[in-house]
Structure formats: C-alpha cells, structure tokens
Amino acid sequence: MKIQVKTLAAADAGEIELSDAVFGREPRLDILHRVVTWQLEKRRGTARKARERSEVARTGKKLGRQKGGGTARHGNRAAPQFIGGGKAHGPRVRDFNPGLNKKIRKLGLFTALSVKAAEGKLVVVEDLEIDAKTKSVIGALGGLGITSGLFIDGAEVNRSFALGAANVPHIDVLPAIGANVYDILNHDTLVLTRAAVTALEARANG
C-alpha cells in the first residue's frame, strides 16, 4: 500500500510503502473492544481499604447497665457510630488489573492502524520540525485540515512541535513506543512521521 507523504506545510514530499501486515489488516471490532476495555481497566485506581468493625482495636466491654441508664444499650466501641469505630460498608480493595495476551495487544494496535488507513484518516508527514509556537502549529494543522489528531513521532517526539501543540485542544503527541489503540481511536486523524512508520512496522517483525 502506497501513501503520499506531506510536510507540515502541506507540500508533497514523495511516497512511502506501507506494510500490509501493519496497515492492511481486516477490521476486527472484537479485538479493538478487548484492547480498549483492557486499557481503560488498567487506568483505574484501586481504592484504599477502610477498616471495618471487626478490624479496629476497640473495647468490647458493655458501656453501661442494660436498663435504667437513659441511653442506648451499646455493647461495643467498634460500632460505626462511635469515633474510632469501624467503617460501615467501607471501600474494599478490588483488582482492576486484568491480563491480556501480548499477541492480542499487538493485533489490536495493527487493527487500529489499519482502520485509520482504510477510512482515509491516516496522514504521513516527513517530520514534525516546526517552530515551538502555538501559532505555527495551528497554522500547520489548518493547512493539513486537522482539527482532532494524534501525532506519532519516532523514538523521541520533536520537542519544538510538542511545545507548540501543548495548548492546542484535541491534539496529542506521542513517541512510537507509546502508540496505543485507545488514543488512536479517540482522535479523528492519525498522523505518522516516516520514523514512526518505520518503528511501528518494526514491531510486526518482533
């Protein structure tokens, strides 16, 4: 699969051959669903456990006589209504860290890339070299017709572009190692540099 390469100034910069193993796979919605669900569950923080009635160190001695005291007939200071007592129905530790096979994760990434390519929402640029100014980045986005985009660079993100894009809404920048299914699907347009294409295709070869 060949695709036109552009510069950030929207000028032509030749062509690039994309690997069908990475950018030409059949869409698998079930795989995308599994990977996105796994990513979102991995993000969830685990609640800190609260000590309940049986876990606090409080006296179990009856507080007063059964009748005639004019107060409730309490029998344990660990009851939730007392200061220092156990929490009633408090938060408990739950595990939101499910596992997912590496092959499924890799397949999910390649499927997401293929979906963007099939939809015509994949743009390849020569590099992300630009002034570190928001105005310059907004001008480049306007020339490319991008309002919501994920930019993926090579091993390291171009610092000038990252600084210029930091305040632009709906624009995110990642290194190739950080490419993931959720962020790719969460943006309308996927923009890759030549270095990013090389790095992503290298994943297919292990």
Side-chain angles (χ1 to χ4, degrees):
M1 176 195 308
K2 286 189 176 182
I3 189 172
Q4 187 73 36
V5 180
K6 294 183 176 295
T7 64
L8 287 179
D12 291 338
E15 292 183 337
I16 189 171
E17 183 77 27
L18 299 181
S19 170
D20 289 336
V22 179
F23 297 93
R25 291 179 177 267
E26 291 295 322
R28 290 282 305 275
L29 298 183
D30 58 325
I31 296 297
L32 295 179
H33 178 268
R34 286 183 64 183
V35 177
V36 169
T37 301
W38 170 76
Q39 279 189 247
L40 294 180
E41 287 184 344
K42 287 277 285 186
R43 287 185 180 186
R44 294 186 65 176
T46 302
R48 291 193 303 169
K49 184 182 185 307
R51 292 188 301 170
E52 297 188 351
R53 183 166 176 167
S54 63
E55 297 170 319
V56 295
R58 302 288 284 170
T59 181
K61 181 182 177 182
K62 189 172 179 65
L63 306 187
R65 58 185 182 177
Q66 177 73 5
K67 302 181 69 174
T71 57
R73 295 166 290 187
H74 293 296
N76 194 330
R77 278 286 185 183
Q81 61 265 39
F82 291 120
I83 293 175
K87 177 72 173 176
H89 312 296
R92 297 179 179 180
V93 176
R94 292 188 292 168
D95 182 19
F96 298 114
N97 188 16
L100 189 64
N101 193 304
K102 283 185 178 180
K103 291 183 179 179
I104 300 298
R105 282 184 265 166
K106 182 184 287 189
L107 178 58
L109 176 61
F110 296 159
T111 301
L113 294 171
S114 300
V115 167
K116 288 298 182 183
E119 292 177 346
K121 296 181 179 179
L122 173 65
V123 178
V124 179
V125 296
E126 187 67 28
D127 53 47
L128 298 180
E129 195 63 46
I130 198 172
D131 294 335
K133 296 182 179 180
T134 302
K135 183 177 181 180
S136 300
V137 173
I138 291 176
L141 295 174
L144 294 171
I146 297 173
T147 56
S148 170
L150 175 65
F151 286 76
I152 299 180
D153 206 349
E156 295 183 1
V157 173
N158 183 284
R159 180 171 173 78
S160 296
F161 185 88
L163 290 173
N167 290 330
V168 182
H170 311 302
I171 300 297
D172 288 310
V173 187
L174 292 174
I177 193 65
N180 63 88
V181 176
Y182 178 78
D183 283 327
I184 291 173
L185 298 181
N186 200 35
H187 293 79
D188 186 58
T189 306
L190 175 63
V191 183
L192 306 177
T193 63
R194 283 185 182 268
V197 171
T198 302
L200 291 171
E201 290 182 348
R203 285 200 195 183
N205 300 323

